[in-house]
């Protein structure tokens, strides 16, 4: 029973680490594009970070509801 609880926690930590890594790569790419063109893709930046923040929020909501459900039982 302990293994089934540990696995989702590791998976969610992997997802969070992946999103942070991808955000760092995205930021570096946008900075590179800005240095080359002197123009920033504002809409793309806002949309990208809104998407990744929404994904992290959804993951946090799932984790919260899991903990709430487990505490109720």
């Amino acid at each position: 029973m302990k293994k089934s609880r540990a696995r989702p926690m590791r998976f969610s930590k992997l997802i969070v680490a992946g999103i942070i890594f991808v955000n760092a790569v995205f930021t570096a790419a946008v900075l590179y594009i800005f240095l080359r063109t002197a123009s920033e893709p504002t809409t793309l930046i806002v949309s990208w970070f809104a998407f990744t923040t929404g994904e992290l929020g959804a993951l946090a909501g799932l984790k919260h509801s899991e903990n709430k459900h487990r505490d109720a039982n």
Side-chain angles (χ1 to χ4, degrees), residues 2-65:
K2 218 174 196 182
K3 282 186 178 182
S4 66
R5 287 186 184 171
R7 184 174 171 92
M9 181 177 274
R10 281 185 280 160
F11 180 73
S12 65
K13 286 183 180 184
L14 181 66
I15 295 296
V16 170
I19 289 175
I20 291 170
F21 175 74
V22 171
N23 278 344
V25 170
F26 176 80
T27 302
V30 167
L31 286 172
Y32 178 76
I33 290 169
F34 181 71
L35 288 173
R36 290 297 213 185
T37 64
S39 174
E40 67 178 281
T42 309
T43 305
L44 177 63
I45 294 169
V46 169
S47 298
W48 176 262
F49 285 107
F51 169 72
T52 57
T53 302
E55 290 296 315
L56 289 174
L59 184 62
L62 287 171
K63 192 68 177 165
H64 177 71
S65 66

